Amino acid sequence: EVTRTQWKLLFSPYYLRRTIFACTFWSAIVLPYFALTFFQPTILRSLGLGGNALLGALLGTIIALLGAAVGWYIVDKVGRRKILIPPMFVCAAFLLLAAAHNALPAEVGAICFFGYLFSYGIMSILPGIYPEEIFPSSVRGSGVGVATAASRAAAALGTFLLPTIQSALGTPAVLIIMGAVALFGGMTSLFWAPETNGRPLTATSHRVDPHRYGRRAAAVPA
């Protein structure tokens, strides 16, 4: 019975918000990253780094790894929300500011891009932690699977669409779109991200208050 109702429960009032959150935050992390880093040398040339684009791409990878190291170090110290929400908004700010690179010194555009990569690195560890903590055991596998599928689709979408958008509209439009994705992810996380740090799975993945959705919520398996 549980196997037959897992998917339905993910989109029921009891877990819909968590399903949307897991899909959204994960997609908002990977869509801009895969789109921008797959074509990082091209983006960096557009930002004015010229012949140093390949070196800049290597530097960007190192910066993202440093951010990830920071994320791993502080994730259990400050909690999940604090390494998701502020970095997501910082990513959005850096990308939107980088979109104005034509009106700014080349150094500012490069700093914004690398600042985005560092902020991305901090929150990049969460897809391997967060989804497992917000779904109860009865739907955890299905919930993580749905979020993973959404993130893979988002990454593919960003990677395949970036060349088309850049060719048609230019790098500023690409950066604005990616910044908007990060901003949407930040807003969703601000309102819907639960804090799971330091709490047992039985507490962080508990079912929704039955008083909110009626007595039937009490029958939902935890």
Side-chain angles (χ1 to χ4, degrees), residues 40-42 44-45 49-61:
Q40 194 170 163
T42 302
L44 289 175
R45 287 191 191 95
L49 292 189
N52 295 323
L54 289 176
L55 180 61
L58 176 61
L59 178 61
T61 301

Side-chain angles (χ1 to χ4, degrees), residues 26 29 64 67-69 71-72 83 118-128:
W26 198 340
I29 287 175
W72 276 116
I83 69 166
F118 183 78
S119 299
Y120 156 81
I122 292 176
M123 61 184 180
S124 68
I125 68 167
L126 288 176

Side-chain angles (χ1 to χ4, degrees), residues 114-188:
F114 291 136
Y116 155 75
L117 289 174
F118 183 78
S119 299
Y120 156 81
I122 292 176
M123 61 184 180
S124 68
I125 68 167
L126 288 176
I129 302 172
Y130 223 163
E132 287 86 349
E133 295 180 340
I134 63 175
F135 291 108
S137 57
S138 60
V139 293
R140 185 169 296 132
S142 298
V144 173
V146 168
T148 301
S151 72
R152 297 298 183 268
L157 181 67
T159 301
F160 285 113
L161 286 184
L162 185 142
T164 302
I165 297 173
Q166 186 175 26
S167 176
L169 302 175
T171 298
V174 169
L175 294 171
I176 289 172
I177 292 171
M178 298 306 160
V181 170
L183 183 61
F184 180 74
M187 292 299 297
T188 303

